[in-house]
């Protein structure tokens, strides 16, 4: 059995009086691909942001390896990490958002190497070499000196993926990475993600692309009202859902 890389236990998240997450339990094994499905507003993206401490949990804990995300554990007490320690922990987790969030005034190459050079203190020459390799991997060889405005949405998202990979993460999080793209550009981003999945990279993906989830996921989890109400293999969840909410959702999207 592969080691557990991510373990969430009874994760709650509230924004004021609004309870968004209401007790998420999930384990993700090393090398596993888990797709999170569910209607908008069900808490999928919030949970993803909690995994790398972009949001702090209100209750419960998330482990990344043997560390509690966002905290240092001493016996039974938790102490929130300072900014430097949180950044070190977060550098092990790559995240790709709905919007590309590239720096518009920087070239593709500059966007990709900024994290490795500034956060991980890599030598610029080594960071540039790896960035060039990553651009070839995502199908953008030769676009090192382009600016984001010169690229299509699909190309910008592939640069965003390369930028996340440049940090050599142990875990990749994808928050609906194709939702902001025109339909004809979705496939080129999904193809890159399929390649990453086949390489053995651990991935947690929030997506509405059911066919993609069926093809690449080891497990699919359906999130409803801040809870995972059903989880299993793609065949189990997508073809033979047991939960009424899952069945209702799939009847609308399939």
């Amino acid at each position: 059995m592969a080691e557990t890389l991510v373990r969430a236990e009874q994760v709650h998240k509230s924004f004021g009086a609004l309870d968004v997450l209401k007790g998420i339990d999930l384990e993700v094994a090393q090398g596993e691909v888990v797709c999170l499905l569910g209607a908008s507003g069900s808490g999928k993206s919030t949970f993803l942001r909690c995994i790398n401490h972009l949001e702090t949990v209100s209750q419960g804990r998330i482990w990344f390896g043997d560390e509690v995300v966002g905290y240092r554990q001493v016996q039974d007490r938790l102490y929130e990490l300072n900014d430097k320690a949180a950044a070190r922990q977060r550098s092990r987790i790559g995240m790709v958002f709905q919007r590309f969030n590239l720096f518009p005034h920087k070239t593709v190459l500059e966007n990709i190497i900024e994290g490795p050079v500034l956060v991980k203190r890599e030598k610029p020459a080594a960071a540039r070499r790896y960035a060039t390799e990553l651009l070839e991997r995502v199908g953008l060889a030769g676009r090192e000196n382009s600016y984001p405005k010169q690229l299509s949405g699909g190309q910008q998202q592939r640069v965003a993926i390369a930028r996340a990979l440049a940090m050599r993460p142990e875990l990749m999080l994808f928050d609906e990475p194709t939702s902001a793209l025109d339909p004809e550009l979705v496939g080129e981003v999904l193809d890159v993600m399929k390649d990453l999945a086949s390489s053995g990279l651990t991935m947690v993906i929030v997506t509405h692309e059911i066919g993609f989830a069926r093809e690449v996921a080891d497990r699919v989890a359906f999130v409803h009202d801040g809870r995972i109400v059903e989880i299993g293999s793609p065949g189990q969840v997508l073809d033979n859902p047991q939960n009424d909410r899952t069945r209702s959702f799939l009847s609308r999207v399939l």
Side-chain angles (χ1 to χ4, degrees):
M1 294 290 290
E3 292 186 11
T4 298
L5 185 62
V6 179
R7 184 169 84 254
E9 290 187 354
Q10 280 299 295
V11 172
H12 292 248
K13 176 62 182 178
S14 300
F15 296 95
L18 179 63
D19 296 326
V20 178
L21 301 181
K22 303 176 182 179
I24 294 277
D25 291 304
L26 179 68
E27 290 191 7
V28 181
Q30 185 86 41
E32 187 177 22
V33 178
V34 175
C35 285
L36 304 181
L37 305 180
S40 297
S42 60
K44 308 180 302 298
S45 295
T46 298
F47 176 58
L48 215 64
R49 293 173 65 86
C50 287
I51 293 177
N52 68 351
H53 202 51
L54 290 177
E55 299 287 355
T56 56
V57 301
S58 303
Q59 183 181 327
R61 295 181 184 179
I62 301 176
W63 276 266
F64 178 56
D66 58 0
E67 297 180 352
V68 180
V69 171
Y71 296 88
R72 176 173 55 91
Q73 184 168 353
V74 180
Q75 296 180 341
D76 292 331
R77 300 198 64 181
L78 294 179
Y79 300 88
E80 189 164 7
L81 297 178
N82 60 33
D83 290 345
K84 183 177 180 180
R88 178 201 58 79
Q89 188 181 71
R90 193 178 292 121
S91 71
R92 300 167 58 201
I93 303 173
M95 187 162 183
V96 177
F97 301 87
Q98 296 179 27
R99 295 290 175 178
F100 326 122
N101 296 337
L102 300 177
F103 296 115
H105 62 289
K106 293 181 179 290
T107 65
V108 164
L109 186 67
E110 289 168 341
N111 267 280
I112 294 173
I113 69 172
E114 177 149 316
V117 171
L118 295 183
V119 178
K120 302 193 83 171
R121 303 300 181 186
E122 289 187 18
K123 293 182 178 180
R128 284 194 292 269
R129 283 195 298 271
Y130 190 46
T132 301
E133 293 175 14
L134 290 172
L135 284 172
E136 184 172 358
R137 182 174 184 180
V138 301
L140 291 173
R143 301 308 297 264
E144 288 86 349
N145 296 318
S146 298
Y147 286 88
K149 67 180 180 181
Q150 297 172 311
L151 305 177
S152 70
Q155 289 172 327
Q156 290 186 60
Q157 192 64 296
R158 285 185 279 156
V159 172
I161 293 172
R163 179 180 58 182
L165 292 174
M167 297 292 286
R168 305 177 194 271
E170 299 167 49
L171 169 71
M172 281 287 286
L173 308 175
F174 291 87
D175 186 10
E176 298 189 33
T178 61
S179 64
L181 300 178
D182 292 332
E184 66 269 19
L185 301 178
V186 168
E188 61 190 47
V189 174
L190 294 182
D191 285 344
V192 171
M193 294 171 65
K194 291 174 187 176
D195 175 67
L196 296 178
S198 66
S199 73
L201 181 62
T202 311
M203 300 161 65
V204 181
I205 304 167
V206 172
T207 183
H208 291 296
E209 301 288 342
I210 304 298
F212 169 77
R214 185 189 300 278
E215 183 176 350
V216 305
D218 295 296
R219 287 186 298 155
V220 171
F222 183 74
V223 183
H224 173 72
D225 194 26
R227 297 180 178 89
I228 293 177
V229 300
E230 187 161 2
I231 187 168
S233 70
Q236 291 171 326
V237 175
L238 300 178
D239 298 331
N240 189 30
Q242 302 300 301
N243 185 276
D244 289 341
R245 296 294 186 181
T246 313
R247 284 196 293 266
S248 175
F249 174 79
L250 292 173
S251 70
R252 296 194 302 269
V253 300
L254 288 178

